[in-house]
């Protein structure tokens, strides 16, 4: 049945219950509905205030409604929204040039999400391997408990069965190794491998930093076998770990790097960065995207990286990180029955639940939310903190106060 759109649909009252009535239930969002935000401050439909230590899962690194980003988007929205990919545009050329200047890369490809960036990286790796060595060189090696996106290809590469169950048959020639296990890597990375993809710090897998020796071993094994090393920096990139990209912390340079999340500060964009030699294997027509490199998205991303990729800004991230870790160390010392030692890098931090409360990270974050602090989880056993990179000392102390109050309330039942 066709019907005229209700002229009042844009002002019709909606609540959390509306989600259950109209959206496909792929998520189970919180009971509160955010409606307004600024910096790290969020207000819900009832006017209640929250301190946001999630930044939209490491996305809004410059905070909500960052004025520089808002101005850039508004300016571009009044200039040019979209052109088909039979044309290029000035914002995408400026963004690509800026990312190339700031990294090892010589070429950039833009998409709309981290999953699409990883899909492009994996397709390019196979295309390169087939073109340079032959079709026999096609195997992809990834790590268990990794996360690379939700397309069928990337979710298969992720190595978490909970995300692939019911979607079989899965793409073939994908194998997994244990993260930070060099011997596991040596056994798996042989001459038929096209690419090894790894997060330099696992995010969804529990906020586990990559051992520098492990990452260097992957680089050496790829060099020996002709495989490409892909760093998935969708969550760790754009200042999150205290350098512009986390590979800069590791002493290891990948062949391909993927980026998204914080790159657009909430505006959808993904990027794949690589070298001239590798990029040439994506000839005209071999891959593409309608919205990738859109003038709006690339304008926003350029405004983001121009603010973040500054020595003073990145130094402040490292300083803020030290303050958060110091508070968490004291929290763990005071509540050893509830938490284990914090881990992570920069402002991507995991706080494991103690053995007595394994599987209850979500229960703890729900208590914290009721007290006004938005936190994340990284699986059922880890509380994840990923505040905006502009977090102030006062906000760090306020988060600590609420986390302690939440610990007391949680333990009290």
């Amino acid at each position: 049945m066709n019907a005229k759109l209700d002229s009042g649909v844009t002002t019709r009252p909606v609540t959390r219950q509306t989600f259950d009535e109209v959206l496909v239930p792929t998520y189970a969002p919180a009971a509160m509905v955010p409606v307004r935000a600024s910096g790290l401050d969020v207000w819900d439909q009832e006017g209640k205030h929250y301190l946001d230590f999630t930044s939209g899962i490491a996305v809004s690194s410059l905070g909500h409604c960052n004025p520089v980003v808002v101005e850039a988007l508004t300016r571009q929205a009044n200039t040019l929204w979209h052109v088909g990919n039979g044309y290029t545009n000035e914002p995408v050329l400026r963004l690509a040039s800026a990312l190339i200047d700031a990294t090892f890369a010589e070429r950039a490809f833009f998409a709309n999400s981290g999953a699409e960036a990883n899909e492009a990286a994996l397709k390019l790796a196979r295309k390169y391997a087939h073109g340079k060595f032959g079709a026999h060189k096609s195997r992809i090696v990834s790590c268990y408990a990794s996360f690379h996106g939700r397309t069928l290809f990337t979710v298969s590469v992720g190595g978490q069965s909970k995300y692939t169950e019911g979607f079989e048959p899965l793409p073939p020639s994908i194998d997994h190794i244990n993260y930070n296990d060099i011997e596991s890597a040596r056994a798996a990375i042989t001459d038929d491998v096209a690419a090894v993809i790894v997060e330099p710090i696992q995010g969804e897998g529990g906020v586990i930093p990559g051992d520098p020796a492990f990452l260097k071993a992957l680089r050496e094994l790829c060099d020996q076998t002709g495989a490409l090393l892909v760093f998935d920096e969708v969550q760790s990139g754009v200042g999150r770990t205290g350098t512009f990209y986390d590979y800069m912390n590791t002493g290891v340079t990948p062949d391909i790097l993927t980026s998204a999340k914080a790159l657009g500060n909430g505006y959808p964009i993904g990027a794949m960065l690589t070298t001239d030699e590798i990029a040439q294997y994506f000839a005209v027509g071999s891959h593409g995207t309608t919205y990738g490199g859109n003038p709006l998205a690339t304008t926003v991303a350029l405004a983001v990286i121009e603010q973040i990729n500054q020595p003073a800004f990145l130094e402040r991230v490292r300083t803020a990180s030290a303050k958060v870790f110091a508070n968490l160390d004291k929290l763990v010392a005071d509540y050893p029955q509830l938490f284990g030692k914090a881990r992570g890098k920069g402002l991507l931090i995991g706080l494991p639940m103690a053995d007595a409360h394994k599987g209850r990270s979500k229960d703890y974050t729900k208590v914290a939310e009721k007290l006004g602090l938005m936190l994340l989880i990284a699986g059922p056993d880890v509380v994840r903190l990923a505040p905006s990179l502009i977090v102030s000392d006062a906000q760090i102390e306020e988060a600590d106060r609420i986390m302690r109050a939440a610990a007391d309330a949680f333990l009290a039942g």
Side-chain angles (χ1 to χ4, degrees), residues 51 53 323 327 392-402:
L51 178 60
F53 260 51
K323 292 179 184 295
N327 283 348
S392 68
D393 289 354
Q395 289 167 328
I396 291 170
E397 295 309 313
E398 178 66 4
D400 179 61
R401 183 192 67 78
I402 298 175

Side-chain angles (χ1 to χ4, degrees), residues 18 70 88 104 116 151 214 218 238 252 279:
T18 311
V70 169
T88 190
F104 72 93
E116 290 172 77
T151 68
F214 172 70
L218 294 183
V238 196
V252 175

Side-chain angles (χ1 to χ4, degrees), residues 256-269:
I256 302 175
L257 179 146
T258 57
S259 182
K261 284 190 178 287
L263 185 60
N265 206 61
Y267 200 102
I269 185 171

